[in-house]
Amino acid sequence: MILQNINSPEDLKKLKAKQLPALAHEIREKIIEVVGQNGGHLASNLGVVELSIALHRVFDSPHDAIVWDVSHQCYPHKILTGRYNKFSTIRKKNGISGFTKIHESEHDYFDAGHASSSISSALGLLASWDLQGRKDKVVAVIGDGALTGGMAFEGLCHTGQLSKNLIVIVNDNQMSIDHNVSSLSRYLSTLTMTSTYQGVRHGIDNVVRKIPFIGGFIGKFIFRIKRGLKGLLLSNNIFSNFGFEYVGPLNGHDIFELEKVLKRVKKIPHPVVVHITTKKGKGYSPAENNPSAFHGVGPFNTSDGVVEKFDTVSFTECFSNKILELAEKNPKIVAITAAMAKGTGLAAFSRKFPERFFDVGIAEEHAVTFAGGLAAGGSIPVVAIYSTFIQRSIDQIIEDIALQNRHVVIVLDRAGAVPEDGETHQGIFDISLLRPIPNLTLMTCATKADLEKCMDYAVSAEGPVVIRWPKMTCSSDLLPFESPADTGKGVFVSAEDFDPSLSVSLLEKKRVKKILLVCTGSIFTETLQAARLLLRKNIWADIFSARFLKPFDSEGFVELASKYNAVLFVEDGVKTGGFADYAEGIFRKSPEAKKIKTKVLAFPDRFSPNGTREQILDEAGLSSQKISESAFEVL
């Protein structure tokens, strides 16, 4: 086996060319095996195996920097940079990350997890090295999907302005390119990257610049002629307009061609875009045939690609069903996603109402402002985005939605603790970011019935409404959540409702201590489990699920909470600027709270690492066991 002997890029460079196809096969087998056990990003990683090998054979990592956009395609890179023996721990607690991580390896220059940032990061790194006189190379690898993000174009534009010798590799795994045009483009690209061409080009440029009075004019004329010819002959010329040399499209699965091209590109002293075409899921037929299903996937049977199914319904699926129901009744409802139709539950909507569905690509800022325009035109837009990605759109929510009081519904999937994906994907900042915004209603749902009530309220409301829910099973067995969605009010669940036998026996005892557990909806399941644990300890625990985080019925809440010996606030968001801190502050100011003990549980002021939902919550002091222990202590 070749792979077991690769502990660094230096080992890779010692291999003979004829060994490389076998190495690529071994890397794919290892990725399929581990992702089958752990889950993860499969299709994107299988598509960049040959590229990863070529990059590490041509460039001198870590002296040269390879910057992976999003970095959900970094598994081959990790395997080739000394992490083969740890690869089986990927995405697990205390294991290696599914994304590039600075603390893991000197070969990882950035912590990445969100799209479209690689060019900007790589350009900044290169500019800093230039100031120090350092001549090492910087390569940014970005997919065609990430190029839909505006930040990528900002980076391209600035790179062209600075004229730094940044190498940008565009991994194109969706476009279909005509063979004849591709062949001609490859020929012209090969010509333009040769040292002979570059020497002649710079020689002419230097001569023209020295011509008195008219040198500048002639130089611009030559540049325009060259750009015009490229526009006629090349299949893609947008990069030329940004000031890049354009190379490609190249076969991204031909290691030998990639190595030859990259060795030549390495010598070019100004910005270069290398356009390669790859196939997502390469080498594994289930992923090749359905790459979207194997983009981010849970554990699966590697022999046939079948993902294990459970007889449960997630919040995402509940939302998918509910928005279809609402859209059937109301033709004004439209749906928007930022390249995550399946992940956010809008795939069914896109099939049933294609003319009312908009996928804007990886462009969350545009998605929100576009929704504001739709609302201005009389539509009722529902924007579905992961909590971690809404962070990109805070300015647009403030300026283009809330300030103008547009009726836009924003639903945040993956709110709270998000398993396996690590720090970059935790949905724990949205409450603190959104709650201070005027005109905005912020809701959080705990069960299927609660989600349906929240959606009913949101589409009939005036002004912007945000609803958040977690990545987990959607409970449907608690009848108290059928209560009306009165603005500002939460949902009260008595111990008598969720555990009648224990609560009845407990009432027979004297001097029963009572505590109110106040929670955000996304952590209701753990709060309910904690309440049941407290009942077994002879502590009466009722639950108040704060359906409305803003506005908040403070008077009604204070009246309710003042009947208890203690109040414990539990939030699946950061404590700083969060709802729990705010609600406790309101309660503490009331005269009724003087003799009542309170405590706040929320995510601490640090980033949360890999792990299951249970592990992440436990480390933050928010697991059902930790909640019950804190409640016991505060009493």
Side-chain angles (χ1 to χ4, degrees):
M1 186 175 181
I2 303 171
L3 189 54
Q4 289 179 340
N5 298 316
I6 304 297
N7 297 308
S8 70
E10 293 306 310
D11 294 331
L12 177 63
K13 292 172 184 176
K14 295 174 185 176
L15 295 180
K16 296 178 180 179
K18 64 181 181 181
Q19 294 177 282
L20 300 182
L23 175 64
H25 178 71
E26 290 181 17
I27 292 173
R28 284 195 170 91
E29 283 192 328
K30 186 64 177 178
I31 291 173
I32 294 167
E33 173 197 335
V34 173
V35 176
Q37 295 172 351
N38 297 3
H41 293 93
L42 183 66
S44 53
N45 280 289
L46 296 180
V48 297
V49 172
E50 288 83 4
L51 173 62
S52 302
I53 293 172
L55 283 170
H56 281 293
R57 280 173 62 85
V58 172
F59 295 95
D60 185 22
S61 179
H63 301 293
D64 294 330
I66 302 171
V67 182
W68 300 89
D69 201 277
V70 191
S71 79
H72 59 211
Q73 77 285 46
C74 69
Y75 295 5
H77 161 80
K78 291 196 176 219
I79 290 172
L80 294 170
T81 53
R83 285 168 276 186
Y84 170 76
N85 292 328
K86 295 180 180 178
F87 190 65
S88 61
T89 70
I90 197 164
R91 303 177 81 240
K92 298 294 185 182
K93 184 176 175 61
N94 300 323
I96 63 173
S97 171
F99 302 92
T100 52
K101 295 293 297 178
I102 300 168
H103 77 265
E104 263 186 28
S105 171
E106 60 183 349
H107 297 277
D108 292 1
Y109 270 87
F110 298 96
D111 288 359
H114 290 193
S116 310
S117 64
S118 61
I119 298 172
S120 298
S121 295
L123 180 61
L125 179 64
L126 182 60
S128 178
W129 285 0
D130 280 353
L131 290 172
Q132 301 167 41
R134 184 171 168 177
K135 300 303 181 184
D136 297 307
K137 303 295 291 188
V138 179
V139 182
V141 185
I142 185 168
D144 54 345
L147 277 177
T148 61
M151 187 177 177
F153 286 91
E154 293 172 12
L156 287 170
C157 183
H158 193 205
T159 302
Q161 290 174 18
L162 292 181
S163 195
K164 299 292 184 183
N165 60 336
L166 179 68
I167 299 170
V168 177
I169 296 178
V170 176
N171 177 23
D172 175 358
N173 49 40
Q174 291 182 344
M175 298 182 211
S176 176
I177 301 170
D178 181 80
H179 177 72
N180 293 327
V181 175
S182 175
S183 297
L184 176 61
S185 181
R186 260 201 304 270
Y187 169 75
L188 292 172
S189 299
T190 302
L191 173 65
T192 61
M193 68 189 168
T194 60
S195 57
T196 302
Y197 169 84
Q198 292 299 323
V200 171
R201 171 191 163 167
H202 288 288
I204 293 174
D205 288 346
N206 289 331
V207 170
V208 169
R209 275 196 296 268
K210 292 177 182 177
I211 299 175
F213 305 112
I214 62 172
F217 171 78
I218 294 175
K220 291 179 181 178
F221 177 75
I222 292 173
F223 173 77
R224 287 171 181 167
I225 290 293
K226 185 180 72 169
R227 188 171 67 178
L229 287 172
K230 284 186 175 182
L232 288 171
L233 298 175
L234 298 183
S235 58
N236 293 278
N237 70 336
I238 186 172
F239 304 111
S240 301
N241 293 332
F242 277 119
F244 283 77
E245 247 352 297
Y246 173 80
V247 179
L250 307 173
N251 181 358
H253 299 301
D254 187 335
I255 300 176
F256 310 111
E257 183 181 28
L258 287 174
E259 277 200 41
K260 179 176 67 175
V261 169
L262 291 175
K263 284 176 182 177
R264 292 173 177 174
V265 165
K266 190 176 180 180
K267 298 175 183 177
I268 297 177
H270 48 267
V272 186
V273 162
V274 181
H275 177 183
I276 69 169
T277 59
T278 61
K279 186 173 183 63
K280 274 191 172 183
K282 175 73 173 176
Y284 185 58
S285 57
E288 285 188 16
N289 297 332
N290 193 358
S292 61
F294 284 88
H295 170 69
V297 66
F300 63 93
N301 187 332
T302 57
S303 63
D304 55 14
V306 174
V307 180
E308 185 177 359
K309 297 291 184 181
F310 299 95
D311 188 23
T312 56
V313 178
S314 67
F315 276 90
T316 306
E317 291 169 309
C318 289
F319 163 69
S320 179
N321 296 332
K322 183 62 180 178
I323 193 171
L324 284 176
E325 174 194 317
L326 291 170
E328 286 273 14
K329 300 174 183 176
N330 191 339
K332 290 185 176 182
I333 293 176
V334 298
I336 305 166
T337 182
M340 298 297 288
K342 184 176 180 181
T344 58
L346 287 178
F349 187 101
S350 70
R351 292 190 294 270
K352 189 158 188 176
F353 304 105
E355 73 286 353
R356 292 156 62 185
F357 171 75
F358 304 93
D359 187 342
V360 302
I362 303 175
E364 291 84 3
E365 302 96 322
H366 166 65
V368 170
T369 301
F370 175 62
L374 285 165
S379 297
I380 303 175
V382 178
V383 187
I385 296 177
Y386 287 3
S387 170
T388 184
F389 298 139
I390 202 65
Q391 295 162 187
R392 297 181 156 208
S393 307
I394 299 303
D395 180 67
Q396 287 72 26
I397 293 174
I398 294 171
E399 297 294 323
D400 303 324
I401 304 299
L403 178 64
Q404 302 172 52
N405 205 31
R406 300 294 185 192
H407 183 201
V408 175
V409 180
I410 300 175
V411 299
L412 305 182
D413 205 315
R414 271 73 165 169
V418 178
E420 280 82 45
D421 280 334
E423 296 96 327
T424 58
H425 281 59
Q426 299 305 317
I428 59 177
F429 300 106
D430 56 86
I431 296 174
S432 292
L433 291 170
L434 296 172
R435 203 178 56 79
I437 300 175
N439 293 337
L440 186 141
T441 297
L442 180 57
M443 305 180 75
T444 175
C445 49
T447 66
K448 177 178 180 291
D450 207 22
L451 184 151
E452 291 173 347
K453 293 291 181 185
C454 289
M455 285 296 299
D456 287 335
Y457 175 89
V459 298
S460 62
E462 295 181 1
V465 180
V466 177
I467 311 172
R468 68 191 302 270
W469 53 72
K471 182 183 180 180
M472 62 180 297
T473 299
C474 187
S475 175
S476 60
D477 59 349
L478 286 171
L479 295 179
F481 282 86
E482 292 292 344
S483 60
D486 296 326
T487 302
K489 295 184 178 179
V491 183
F492 177 75
V493 184
S494 170
E496 295 176 89
D497 296 315
F498 60 76
D499 210 332
S501 58
L502 275 176
S503 58
V504 169
S505 62
L506 191 57
L507 281 174
E508 296 173 354
K509 299 179 180 180
K510 296 180 179 179
R511 294 187 178 180
V512 174
K513 289 188 176 181
K514 291 187 175 183
I515 188 168
L516 181 65
L517 306 180
V518 182
C519 70
T520 49
S522 299
I523 200 165
F524 172 77
T525 297
E526 287 77 16
T527 306
L528 177 62
Q529 292 168 352
R532 285 173 170 150
L533 290 173
L534 289 168
L535 278 174
R536 292 184 178 92
K537 294 180 180 179
N538 294 325
I539 295 173
W540 184 279
D542 292 333
I543 300 172
F544 179 83
S545 179
R547 177 181 283 161
F548 284 87
L549 305 186
K550 183 182 182 180
F552 180 57
D553 178 20
S554 55
E555 289 185 9
F557 171 73
V558 168
E559 182 182 350
L560 171 67
S562 60
K563 301 173 183 177
Y564 293 82
N565 302 108
V567 182
L568 181 66
F569 298 85
V570 186
E571 176 177 359
D572 63 330
V574 292
K575 181 177 181 180
T576 306
F579 165 77
D581 238 12
Y582 162 77
E584 186 199 36
I586 286 178
F587 183 62
R588 295 270 20 125
K589 291 176 183 176
S590 65
E592 297 89 340
K594 290 182 179 179
K595 297 182 179 179
I596 300 174
K597 297 179 180 179
T598 62
K599 185 175 182 179
V600 170
L601 296 181
F603 276 93
D605 191 16
R606 63 172 184 265
F607 292 102
S608 298
N610 292 353
T612 63
R613 175 181 171 86
E614 293 75 19
Q615 290 167 339
I616 294 168
L617 290 176
D618 190 67
E619 189 170 285
L622 293 167
S623 63
S624 56
Q625 184 64 40
K626 293 289 178 64
I627 294 171
S628 66
E629 290 173 1
S630 292
F632 192 79
E633 290 169 6
V634 78
L635 279 170

